[in-house]
Amino acid sequence: MALLTLDNVHTYYGNIHALKGISITVDEGEIVTLIGANGAGKSTTLKTISGLLYPRQGKVYLEDKDLTKFSAHEIVRMGVIHVPEGRRVFSRLTVMENLEMGAFTRKDKDGVQKDLKRVFELFPRLEERQNQVAGTLSGGEQQMLAMGRALMSKPRILLLDEPSMGLAPVLVDLIFDTIRELNNQGMTILLVEQNALLALDVANRGYVLETGTIPLAGDARELANNPQVKEVYLGGA
């Protein structure tokens, strides 16, 4: 059984039909990526999974649990953790307070401290700046904080939306090295990323989204070598 399953999901914004019957699976321990142009439905897919949007038709399952029956905060408690596009840190709180907010659903104090240590090992810069107000961090540091805050929620699956957006190349490399490291440690990840080359390099499998539909899916290496994907999403590389 897949850890996460979307089965014939249709999601709307008012009368706009954003997702048109998409079906996706993510197995435990995988990195699966969604690639596609702006407006293809990538972020909408993540919002539908995390309960920020509700599908009018179709189901979203975490193993055998139908997530469409639960609210967003209940889905967080189940371990589906969404790192949204644009970081969305609590800008007036310190780095440490943001990380503590990530653990707000947890009662295991020892586990929280263990995960805090893990976050600081992954992102030493956050430990150095733990008393700094989050809104004064650089874009790269805010992305680290958004990911660190998500890890404090003890995710079963991490939904990452455009983690490289607006970052300098050296920081993009750091973020993607961290994604690899998290996966090596057993983390299941569903990655939305406009940089298709990076996304397919780090992923096991991929889905191509095109105006709310999935015309292509498969092994990430195969997609990276697909002539259509190369032409449209990899700049003809």
Side-chain angles (χ1 to χ4, degrees):
M1 179 186 292
L3 179 60
L4 180 73
T5 303
L6 279 72
D7 182 17
N8 190 35
V9 167
H10 293 256
T11 300
Y12 288 73
Y13 291 99
N15 292 323
I16 299 171
H17 197 175
L19 298 181
K20 304 171 184 176
I22 68 168
S23 295
I24 289 170
T25 61
V26 183
D27 293 335
E28 194 157 3
E30 275 192 310
I31 299 178
V32 173
T33 188
L34 307 179
I35 63 172
N38 282 334
K42 305 186 300 298
S43 294
T44 301
T45 301
L46 297 193
K47 290 176 181 177
T48 302
I49 295 166
S50 62
L52 299 176
L53 295 171
Y54 286 91
R56 289 193 193 174
Q57 184 180 332
K59 299 292 185 182
V60 180
Y61 295 99
L62 183 69
E63 292 182 326
D64 58 348
K65 289 180 181 169
D66 179 3
L67 296 184
T68 61
K69 296 180 178 179
F70 296 93
S71 62
H73 74 273
E74 291 172 320
I75 292 171
V76 168
R77 290 181 187 275
M78 294 177 191
V80 180
I81 309 301
H82 186 176
V83 181
E85 181 182 344
R87 274 79 82 171
R88 305 289 180 89
V89 298
F90 299 107
S91 61
R92 296 185 180 183
L93 301 182
T94 66
V95 167
M96 180 60 79
E97 288 167 339
N98 269 269
L99 295 174
E100 289 170 347
M101 287 296 291
F104 83 102
T105 63
R106 299 176 61 177
K107 305 298 183 187
D108 57 325
K109 291 184 179 179
D110 289 344
V112 169
Q113 288 304 308
K114 183 178 178 182
D115 284 341
L116 182 62
K117 182 180 177 183
R118 178 193 185 197
V119 167
F120 285 157
E121 287 172 351
L122 285 167
F123 302 114
R125 207 170 303 184
L126 295 183
E127 185 171 22
E128 294 169 8
R129 289 160 169 71
Q130 59 184 283
N131 297 316
Q132 187 170 331
V133 174
T136 65
L137 298 174
S138 70
E141 290 164 348
Q142 289 189 16
Q143 184 63 53
M144 295 174 202
L145 181 55
M147 291 176 66
R149 183 181 59 192
L151 294 175
M152 292 300 295
S153 300
K154 203 172 182 178
R156 293 192 66 196
I157 181 168
L158 199 57
L159 312 179
L160 295 177
D161 195 351
E162 302 285 5
S164 76
M165 180 179 286
L167 301 186
V170 64
L171 290 174
V172 171
D173 290 343
L174 173 62
I175 293 299
F176 272 80
D177 285 345
T178 304
I179 291 170
R180 289 187 181 90
E181 177 59 26
L182 288 171
N183 183 245
N184 289 338
Q185 294 175 9
M187 182 68 64
T188 306
I189 298 170
L190 179 58
L191 170 67
V192 160
E193 176 57 56
Q194 193 147 1
N195 187 325
L197 194 61
L198 269 178
L200 292 171
D201 183 59
V202 77
N204 303 105
R205 293 187 299 112
Y207 293 87
V208 177
L209 270 170
E210 214 171 83
T211 58
T213 65
I214 298 175
L216 286 170
D219 177 82
R221 306 290 91 76
E222 292 175 1
L223 286 176
N225 290 314
N226 180 290
Q228 183 181 346
V229 173
K230 281 186 173 184
E231 179 66 28
V232 178
Y233 302 106
L234 305 181

